[in-house]
Structure formats: C-alpha cells, structure tokens
Amino acid sequence: METILEVKNVSKKYQSKENEVLALENINFRVKKGEFIAIIGPSGCGKSTLLSIISGLEKKTSGEIYIENQKVEGGTSQIGYMLQKDCLLDWRNVWSNTLFGLEVKGKVTKEDKEYVEKLLKKYNLYEFKNKYPSELSGGMRQRVALIRTLATKPKILLLDEAFSALDYQTRIMVTNDIYNILRKENITTIMVTHDISEAISMSDRVLVLSKRPGTVKDIHKIDFEIENRTPINCRESPKFSKYFNTLWKELGVDE
Ligand code: ADP
C-alpha cells in the first residue's frame, strides 16, 4: 500500500508572554492509503495538537507534513476533520446539513448532490433527509456529520475524540457504524482517543505518545485476523485483552 501521509520531525512549541510549552517533539510516522491509525497517550501529551497540525489549523514549529509526497503548508482541503461535537446546524435539515461542508468550499455541483444522495441511501439516512438534527438520535447525528465530511471527498479523515460525548451503549453502536462506512469507502483515518478499547477495536495500528512533550513511544500493529472485521467482533476476540494489557501497561509507565 502506498504512503498517503508522512509526518516528519514535527515539533510544536506554544509560546505565550509568560512561558513556553513544548507540546510535541520530533514526531515521525507514516500512514498508508486506507489505513486506520489511532493515537493514544496521557492527557496533555499533544494528541489534539498533532491532529490540528496535520489539518493545517495549527502551525508546527519545525518539521514537515507530506500528503501524497507533496509538502503541505497551512490549511488543505484534502483533510476532513470531525470533533467531539457533531456541529450540525439545528436550523438546517439532514439534506441541507450534509451539503454544508461543500457549500463552505464553494459551488455545489450536480455530481456532489448525487454523491451525497448515494451516501445517505447507502447508510440508511435518506428517508430522514427532511428531518432536523433535534429529531435524530446521537448515532444518526454522527452519521450525518460523517457524510457531511465525506461529501467533500477528503483524502484523510481526522477524528478527535469524535465519540466521547456519547453514552457507552450508543458509542459502541456508533463506532461500529462509522467504522463500517469508513472501511466501505476506503477512507484513510487518524483518530485521537483516550479510550484504549476504542483504539484497539477500530484501528490497524495504535500510535502511543509519551507524556509531554509528546514523542512517539511505540507503534503497535493490531491484527485480529477476523474476516469481516468490525469493532464489536474485535471486542469479543481473545486477542483483545492481550492488546489491551500491552497498551495499558505502556500508558501506565508514564503516570
Ligand atoms: P491532548 O490532546 O493530548 O490532551 P493537547 O494537544 O490539547 O493535548 O495539548 C498539549 C499541551 O499543549 C498541553 O500541555 C496544553 O496545555 C498545551 N496547549 C495546547 N494548546 C495550547 C495553546 N493554544 N496555547 C498554549 N498551550 C497550549
């Protein structure tokens, strides 16, 4: 598989009048096309900072970011970003919300609308296209938010604690749904989470950051060898607790 993203020697220092904080130091890793990477690490180690740098929303202090071997500076439309809050607009219905990302980027073409319609149909939301966000369940809202992001055809999707506002039961179902959509659409994904189980159940590799300044402590390959893998059947696999214990210990050493 070809490399779609390379993060090379990236460091980030936040500077204020009073002090400076070295948030990230010499981060190096590559992501292959279609891969799902989870990033975990202690609170404050720079996980969100790293995603913001990849998205171009935050400036790095040093280092380089390459997307498909092209050096990227500043913001890029090639990245989709989903946060904890789904940020759906209450006054727009599902259809209009899913087109919003495209509208912000410019003109919405006939092909764009057809693509959104296809995604809504494929993921069982089309019959709700005239509903408003307040009429949807938490899981449906997240799927609408995902389709709004996918509508812009990002090369890489970033998820920053995207499921942590949901209650446990809903979260398990939503991560399963979202995972299936991302796999079917072959979307390269980088997810920041504080939840080790979520990281293991969804990703191909888990990148562990050390406490601040965040450095890459280790990258673990996750392979359940399950046909038709889903986050739910990964959680039921005997390998799950093995991975969990390894990552738990690795995070614990820092505390
Ligand atoms: P995480 O997502 O792992 O919890 P963050 O990326 O949010 O960590 O933050 C990493 C470190 O950088 C923290 O110590 C945080 O206080 C600091 N930090 C984050 N954003 C800013 C900012 N805008 N100005 C100054 N310090 C910041």
Side-chain angles (χ1 to χ4, degrees):
M1 269 194 291
E2 59 188 289
T3 298
I4 189 161
L5 172 78
E6 182 175 6
V7 175
K8 203 170 175 186
N9 298 326
V10 164
S11 296
K12 171 70 184 177
K13 200 182 272 179
Y14 285 109
Q15 230 134 8
S16 67
K17 273 186 197 141
E18 298 82 39
N19 62 352
E20 54 181 42
V21 174
L22 183 58
L24 293 168
E25 193 173 33
N26 249 341
I27 303 290
N28 285 289
F29 66 97
R30 287 165 187 247
V31 180
K32 294 193 190 96
K33 207 167 182 175
E35 221 183 354
F36 196 123
I37 302 279
I39 300 178
I40 60 171
S43 180
C45 74
K47 301 183 288 298
S48 294
T49 300
L50 182 53
L51 280 200
S52 299
I53 289 172
I54 294 170
S55 75
L57 290 174
E58 190 71 67
K59 277 192 180 151
K60 53 197 165 6
T61 308
S62 58
E64 286 115 45
I65 305 280
Y66 295 89
I67 296 178
E68 292 180 329
N69 297 318
Q70 301 286 318
K71 199 163 157 178
V72 188
E73 293 292 348
T76 162
S77 58
Q78 304 181 85
I79 304 267
Y81 211 160
M82 265 180 74
L83 304 165
Q84 190 173 337
K85 275 195 76 194
D86 56 47
C87 300
L88 295 180
L89 303 172
D90 290 337
W91 59 92
R92 284 178 166 235
N93 63 20
V94 166
W95 173 250
S96 166
N97 259 294
T98 49
L99 293 178
F100 183 67
L102 288 162
E103 286 172 19
V104 170
K105 287 193 166 181
K107 205 167 153 278
V108 184
T109 63
K110 188 166 152 276
E111 287 73 30
D112 288 334
K113 285 188 181 165
E114 281 167 4
Y115 180 54
V116 170
E117 193 176 308
K118 192 186 103 188
L119 289 174
L120 287 172
K121 283 183 178 156
K122 198 164 166 189
Y123 299 112
N124 306 323
L125 285 166
Y126 193 68
E127 60 185 289
F128 301 97
K129 73 181 171 68
N130 296 320
K131 299 264 184 220
Y132 286 84
S134 61
E135 301 174 275
L136 306 177
S137 68
M140 286 164 90
R141 291 178 66 115
Q142 280 292 3
R143 274 188 288 147
V144 172
L146 178 63
I147 289 172
R148 178 188 55 195
T149 308
L150 296 186
T152 63
K153 300 206 168 128
K155 288 196 172 143
I156 301 168
L157 176 69
L158 307 178
L159 302 175
D160 193 351
E161 300 279 8
F163 314 112
S164 48
L166 303 168
D167 65 75
Y168 183 74
Q169 296 286 346
T170 311
R171 200 159 92 206
I172 301 282
M173 297 314 292
V174 171
T175 50
N176 219 60
D177 282 353
I178 299 279
Y179 176 89
N180 288 333
I181 297 174
L182 296 175
R183 282 299 187 212
K184 276 194 193 137
E185 304 302 319
N186 196 30
I187 307 289
T188 309
T189 307
I190 305 175
M191 172 177 80
V192 157
T193 178
H194 66 275
D195 183 334
I196 300 177
S197 300
E198 193 169 278
I200 298 166
S201 67
M202 293 184 85
S203 63
D204 299 309
R205 288 187 293 152
V206 178
L207 187 152
V208 183
L209 289 181
S210 68
K211 68 180 179 192
R212 206 185 73 211
T215 57
V216 179
K217 215 171 159 187
D218 216 334
I219 302 182
H220 296 265
K221 197 165 165 34
I222 307 292
D223 187 1
F224 283 100
E225 292 157 354
I226 296 175
E227 243 180 83
N228 301 321
R229 178 183 166 174
T230 66
I232 289 181
N233 64 26
C234 287
R235 284 173 187 264
E236 288 161 0
S237 157
K239 273 184 150 182
F240 189 84
S241 55
K242 198 182 111 234
Y243 286 131
F244 188 93
N245 290 336
T246 307
L247 292 170
W248 176 259
K249 277 192 198 128
E250 187 151 20
L251 285 178
V253 171
D254 262 348
E255 312 267 280

